[in-house]
Amino acid sequence: MTRAQLDRQPHEVAAMFDGVAERYDLTNDVLSLGQTRAWRRAVVRAVDARPGQRILDLAAGTGTSSAPFAAAGAQVVPCDFSLGMLRVGKQRQPALSFVAGDALRLPFEDAAFDAVTISFGLRNVQHTEAALAELLRVTRPGGRLVVAEFSHPTWALFRTVYVEYLMRALPAIARAVASNPEAYVYLAESVRAWPDQRRLAALIAAAGWGQVGWRDLSAGIVALHRAVRPG
Ligand SMILES: C[S@@+](CC[C@H](N)C(=O)[O-])C[C@H]1O[C@@H](n2cnc3c(N)ncnc32)[C@H](O)[C@@H]1O
């Protein structure tokens, strides 16, 4: 693994997403063989947004992960620090109220949200623990957290094949379909370096969240972690 890829500064991460914004959603669908749609449906069920609730979708990117909460009648706030992703999001989802903000210094008051969620973004934030603490701060007591993130396949043989797929095939496929293939080399490397399901649950609990649990999706390619802010 090239540490240079993973030690990226926040402005470099933001610039990388600026570069992929236009083709981000299409590339996701191609690389995941359409699985992202099922993963997104699972996030929506876990968040269980109700009319009138305030939901923060952090690292919302182009807003694809945010739109279903608005459709459920909730007041969703898509927040991201890549202006390029926000610009494409605003063009595609003009009804959503996008907010520019950094996960490590969220521009929201304490206890402002009924639920907070982050899909495929926590892995990109420089300090995972600090982001989890910021998410806790802006959630009301009793409010909930849902994190969707690439994780570690639970079946050893499949895990080996998967790592081979990621490390060998992903950059080549990305070169064919993505506007910025480097971003997908970074994706493969950051997924390998990311904590497994149990370790991420421990980080969430250490940040002050209660009732932490998780569910594997697609045999652990993705994990959905849930938690509640203690009352
Ligand atoms: C893979 S995209 C996910 C977008 C969206 N949630 C989705 O599911 O399609 C990751 C996003 O995290 C954002 N991001 C990374 N670090 C961030 C930070 N510190 N604060 C805010 N957004 C961040 C990036 O700009 C990028 O748009």
Side-chain angles (χ1 to χ4, degrees):
M1 179 165 317
T2 53
R3 292 300 314 173
Q5 286 278 342
L6 294 177
D7 288 343
R8 288 190 177 189
Q9 294 302 305
H11 70 273
E12 294 174 306
V13 174
M16 182 180 72
F17 280 102
D18 290 346
V20 300
E22 281 292 344
R23 298 185 74 180
Y24 169 78
D25 289 296
L26 172 68
T27 310
N28 270 355
D29 271 347
V30 173
L31 292 182
S32 74
L33 309 174
Q35 286 299 294
T36 43
R37 287 154 198 259
W39 300 335
R40 291 191 191 289
R41 282 197 296 275
V43 172
V44 170
R45 276 197 300 275
V47 172
D48 191 23
R50 299 294 167 94
Q53 288 188 338
R54 265 176 70 80
I55 313 287
L56 170 63
D57 185 23
L58 180 58
T62 57
T64 309
S65 50
S66 319
F69 305 122
Q75 209 186 324
V76 63
V77 179
C79 176
D80 200 285
F81 76 170
S82 158
L83 298 182
M85 293 289 266
L86 291 176
R87 203 170 299 123
V88 172
K90 197 64 197 170
Q91 281 161 11
R92 293 192 187 153
Q93 324 254 14
L96 294 182
S97 304
F98 288 89
V99 171
D102 185 341
L104 301 178
R105 281 183 308 275
L106 288 173
F108 307 111
E109 291 180 0
D110 294 357
F113 295 97
D114 298 292
V116 294
T117 180
I118 179 164
S119 288
F120 309 106
L122 192 57
R123 182 177 31 83
N124 301 126
V125 178
Q126 207 181 20
H127 301 293
T128 311
E129 295 89 337
L132 290 167
E134 264 298 84
L135 284 167
L136 185 77
R137 180 184 70 73
V138 302
T139 305
R140 69 163 169 78
R144 52 210 190 275
L145 165 75
V146 175
V147 178
E149 194 47 271
F150 289 107
S151 198
H152 293 233
T154 45
W155 182 37
L157 179 60
F158 175 53
R159 187 162 55 237
T160 308
V161 172
Y162 175 73
V163 168
E164 289 299 309
Y165 159 75
L166 266 180
M167 291 313 291
R168 293 177 193 279
L170 184 69
I173 298 168
R175 276 188 191 97
V177 296
S179 48
N180 178 359
E182 268 304 289
Y184 293 88
V185 176
Y186 167 79
L187 168 70
E189 292 178 352
S190 64
V191 167
R192 275 167 58 99
W194 184 243
D196 66 14
Q197 289 84 332
R198 193 172 300 280
R199 280 169 56 217
L200 179 58
L203 290 178
I204 293 172
W209 291 93
Q211 301 176 44
V212 183
W214 76 83
R215 176 160 104 76
D216 291 318
L217 305 177
S218 304
I221 289 180
V222 168
L224 208 61
H225 283 74
R226 305 160 76 143
V228 174
R229 177 171 173 173

Short mmCIF file of all heavy atoms in Angstrom, two decimals, residues 32-57:
data_model
loop_
_atom_site.label_atom_id
_atom_site.label_comp_id
_atom_site.label_asym_id
_atom_site.label_seq_id
_atom_site.Cartn_x
_atom_site.Cartn_y
_atom_site.Cartn_z
N SER A 32 -19.89 -1.06 -8.86
CA SER A 32 -20.52 -1.92 -7.84
C SER A 32 -21.49 -2.91 -8.48
O SER A 32 -22.21 -3.61 -7.77
CB SER A 32 -21.26 -1.06 -6.82
OG SER A 32 -22.46 -0.56 -7.40
N LEU A 33 -21.52 -2.95 -9.80
CA LEU A 33 -22.44 -3.83 -10.55
C LEU A 33 -23.87 -3.59 -10.09
O LEU A 33 -24.65 -4.53 -9.89
CB LEU A 33 -22.04 -5.30 -10.36
CG LEU A 33 -20.58 -5.64 -10.63
CD1 LEU A 33 -20.26 -7.09 -10.28
CD2 LEU A 33 -20.21 -5.38 -12.09
N GLY A 34 -24.20 -2.35 -9.85
CA GLY A 34 -25.58 -1.98 -9.49
C GLY A 34 -25.92 -2.16 -8.03
O GLY A 34 -27.03 -1.83 -7.60
N GLN A 35 -24.98 -2.68 -7.25
CA GLN A 35 -25.27 -2.95 -5.83
C GLN A 35 -25.55 -1.68 -5.01
O GLN A 35 -26.19 -1.74 -3.97
CB GLN A 35 -24.10 -3.69 -5.18
CG GLN A 35 -23.99 -5.14 -5.59
CD GLN A 35 -25.23 -5.92 -5.20
OE1 GLN A 35 -25.51 -6.10 -4.03
NE2 GLN A 35 -26.00 -6.34 -6.19
N THR A 36 -25.01 -0.54 -5.46
CA THR A 36 -25.19 0.68 -4.64
C THR A 36 -26.66 0.96 -4.38
O THR A 36 -27.01 1.47 -3.32
CB THR A 36 -24.59 1.94 -5.31
OG1 THR A 36 -24.92 1.93 -6.67
CG2 THR A 36 -23.10 2.02 -5.13
N ARG A 37 -27.52 0.62 -5.34
CA ARG A 37 -28.95 0.93 -5.14
C ARG A 37 -29.50 0.14 -3.97
O ARG A 37 -30.26 0.68 -3.15
CB ARG A 37 -29.75 0.61 -6.42
CG ARG A 37 -29.47 1.65 -7.49
CD ARG A 37 -29.69 1.11 -8.88
NE ARG A 37 -29.02 1.97 -9.83
CZ ARG A 37 -29.64 2.88 -10.57
NH1 ARG A 37 -30.94 3.02 -10.52
NH2 ARG A 37 -28.95 3.64 -11.40
N ALA A 38 -29.14 -1.14 -3.87
CA ALA A 38 -29.61 -1.96 -2.74
C ALA A 38 -29.03 -1.43 -1.42
O ALA A 38 -29.72 -1.38 -0.39
CB ALA A 38 -29.22 -3.42 -2.96
N TRP A 39 -27.75 -1.04 -1.45
CA TRP A 39 -27.13 -0.52 -0.22
C TRP A 39 -27.83 0.76 0.22
O TRP A 39 -28.08 0.98 1.41
CB TRP A 39 -25.64 -0.24 -0.45
CG TRP A 39 -24.86 -1.46 -0.83
CD1 TRP A 39 -25.19 -2.77 -0.54
CD2 TRP A 39 -23.63 -1.51 -1.57
NE1 TRP A 39 -24.23 -3.61 -1.06
CE2 TRP A 39 -23.27 -2.86 -1.70
CE3 TRP A 39 -22.82 -0.53 -2.15
CZ2 TRP A 39 -22.12 -3.27 -2.37
CZ3 TRP A 39 -21.66 -0.94 -2.81
CH2 TRP A 39 -21.33 -2.29 -2.92
N ARG A 40 -28.17 1.60 -0.76
CA ARG A 40 -28.85 2.86 -0.41
C ARG A 40 -30.23 2.59 0.18
O ARG A 40 -30.66 3.27 1.10
CB ARG A 40 -28.97 3.76 -1.64
CG ARG A 40 -27.64 4.31 -2.11
CD ARG A 40 -27.85 5.39 -3.15
NE ARG A 40 -26.61 5.75 -3.81
CZ ARG A 40 -25.61 6.42 -3.24
NH1 ARG A 40 -25.72 6.79 -1.99
NH2 ARG A 40 -24.53 6.72 -3.91
N ARG A 41 -30.93 1.59 -0.37
CA ARG A 41 -32.26 1.27 0.18
C ARG A 41 -32.13 0.82 1.63
O ARG A 41 -32.95 1.17 2.49
CB ARG A 41 -32.94 0.17 -0.66
CG ARG A 41 -33.52 0.70 -1.96
CD ARG A 41 -34.52 -0.30 -2.56
NE ARG A 41 -33.90 -1.56 -2.94
CZ ARG A 41 -33.29 -1.77 -4.11
NH1 ARG A 41 -33.24 -0.82 -5.02
NH2 ARG A 41 -32.74 -2.94 -4.39
N ALA A 42 -31.07 0.07 1.94
CA ALA A 42 -30.87 -0.40 3.32
C ALA A 42 -30.60 0.79 4.26
O ALA A 42 -31.07 0.81 5.41
CB ALA A 42 -29.70 -1.39 3.37
N VAL A 43 -29.84 1.78 3.78
CA VAL A 43 -29.57 2.98 4.60
C VAL A 43 -30.89 3.70 4.90
O VAL A 43 -31.16 4.08 6.04
CB VAL A 43 -28.60 3.93 3.87
CG1 VAL A 43 -28.47 5.26 4.62
CG2 VAL A 43 -27.23 3.28 3.69
N VAL A 44 -31.72 3.84 3.87
CA VAL A 44 -32.98 4.57 4.03
C VAL A 44 -33.87 3.85 5.06
O VAL A 44 -34.46 4.49 5.94
CB VAL A 44 -33.69 4.70 2.66
CG1 VAL A 44 -35.11 5.24 2.82
CG2 VAL A 44 -32.88 5.62 1.75
N ARG A 45 -33.92 2.53 4.99
CA ARG A 45 -34.72 1.77 5.96
C ARG A 45 -34.16 1.97 7.37
O ARG A 45 -34.90 2.15 8.33
CB ARG A 45 -34.71 0.27 5.62
CG ARG A 45 -35.76 -0.10 4.57
CD ARG A 45 -36.01 -1.61 4.57
NE ARG A 45 -34.79 -2.37 4.29
CZ ARG A 45 -34.35 -2.64 3.06
NH1 ARG A 45 -35.02 -2.21 2.02
NH2 ARG A 45 -33.25 -3.33 2.87
N ALA A 46 -32.84 1.95 7.50
CA ALA A 46 -32.21 2.08 8.84
C ALA A 46 -32.44 3.47 9.42
O ALA A 46 -32.70 3.61 10.62
CB ALA A 46 -30.72 1.77 8.75
N VAL A 47 -32.35 4.50 8.61
CA VAL A 47 -32.55 5.88 9.11
C VAL A 47 -34.02 6.09 9.47
O VAL A 47 -34.34 6.76 10.46
CB VAL A 47 -32.08 6.93 8.07
CG1 VAL A 47 -32.46 8.33 8.50
CG2 VAL A 47 -30.57 6.82 7.87
N ASP A 48 -34.92 5.48 8.69
CA ASP A 48 -36.35 5.54 8.98
C ASP A 48 -36.82 7.00 9.18
O ASP A 48 -37.42 7.33 10.22
CB ASP A 48 -36.65 4.69 10.23
CG ASP A 48 -38.14 4.49 10.43
OD1 ASP A 48 -38.90 4.61 9.44
OD2 ASP A 48 -38.57 4.24 11.58
N ALA A 49 -36.51 7.84 8.21
CA ALA A 49 -36.86 9.27 8.31
C ALA A 49 -38.37 9.45 8.27
O ALA A 49 -39.05 8.83 7.46
CB ALA A 49 -36.20 10.02 7.15
N ARG A 50 -38.86 10.30 9.15
CA ARG A 50 -40.31 10.58 9.20
C ARG A 50 -40.57 12.03 8.81
O ARG A 50 -39.70 12.89 9.00
CB ARG A 50 -40.83 10.33 10.62
CG ARG A 50 -40.64 8.91 11.10
CD ARG A 50 -41.51 7.96 10.27
NE ARG A 50 -41.12 6.57 10.49
CZ ARG A 50 -41.71 5.78 11.39
NH1 ARG A 50 -42.66 6.25 12.18
NH2 ARG A 50 -41.33 4.53 11.51
N PRO A 51 -41.80 12.32 8.32
CA PRO A 51 -42.12 13.69 7.97
C PRO A 51 -41.82 14.64 9.13
O PRO A 51 -42.14 14.34 10.28
CB PRO A 51 -43.62 13.64 7.66
CG PRO A 51 -43.84 12.24 7.21
CD PRO A 51 -42.90 11.39 8.03
N GLY A 52 -41.17 15.74 8.80
CA GLY A 52 -40.88 16.77 9.82
C GLY A 52 -39.56 16.58 10.53
O GLY A 52 -39.05 17.52 11.16
N GLN A 53 -38.98 15.39 10.45
CA GLN A 53 -37.69 15.18 11.14
C GLN A 53 -36.57 15.89 10.39
O GLN A 53 -36.62 16.03 9.17
CB GLN A 53 -37.37 13.69 11.25
CG GLN A 53 -38.25 12.97 12.25
CD GLN A 53 -37.79 11.54 12.48
OE1 GLN A 53 -37.11 10.94 11.65
NE2 GLN A 53 -38.19 10.99 13.61
N ARG A 54 -35.56 16.31 11.17
CA ARG A 54 -34.37 16.92 10.55
C ARG A 54 -33.27 15.86 10.46
O ARG A 54 -32.89 15.27 11.48
CB ARG A 54 -33.89 18.11 11.39
CG ARG A 54 -34.45 19.42 10.90
CD ARG A 54 -34.06 20.57 11.79
NE ARG A 54 -32.64 20.91 11.73
CZ ARG A 54 -32.07 21.64 10.78
NH1 ARG A 54 -32.78 22.06 9.76
NH2 ARG A 54 -30.79 21.94 10.84
N ILE A 55 -32.79 15.64 9.24
CA ILE A 55 -31.79 14.59 8.99
C ILE A 55 -30.55 15.24 8.39
O ILE A 55 -30.65 15.97 7.40
CB ILE A 55 -32.31 13.55 7.95
CG1 ILE A 55 -33.74 13.09 8.26
CG2 ILE A 55 -31.35 12.39 7.81
CD1 ILE A 55 -33.90 12.18 9.43
N LEU A 56 -29.39 14.96 8.97
CA LEU A 56 -28.13 15.40 8.37
C LEU A 56 -27.56 14.25 7.54
O LEU A 56 -27.34 13.15 8.07
CB LEU A 56 -27.12 15.79 9.46
CG LEU A 56 -25.69 16.04 8.96
CD1 LEU A 56 -25.64 17.23 8.00
CD2 LEU A 56 -24.74 16.27 10.14
N ASP A 57 -27.34 14.49 6.25
CA ASP A 57 -26.62 13.52 5.41
C ASP A 57 -25.23 14.09 5.18
O ASP A 57 -25.03 14.95 4.32
CB ASP A 57 -27.36 13.29 4.08
CG ASP A 57 -26.70 12.20 3.25
OD1 ASP A 57 -25.99 11.35 3.84
OD2 ASP A 57 -26.88 12.19 2.02
#
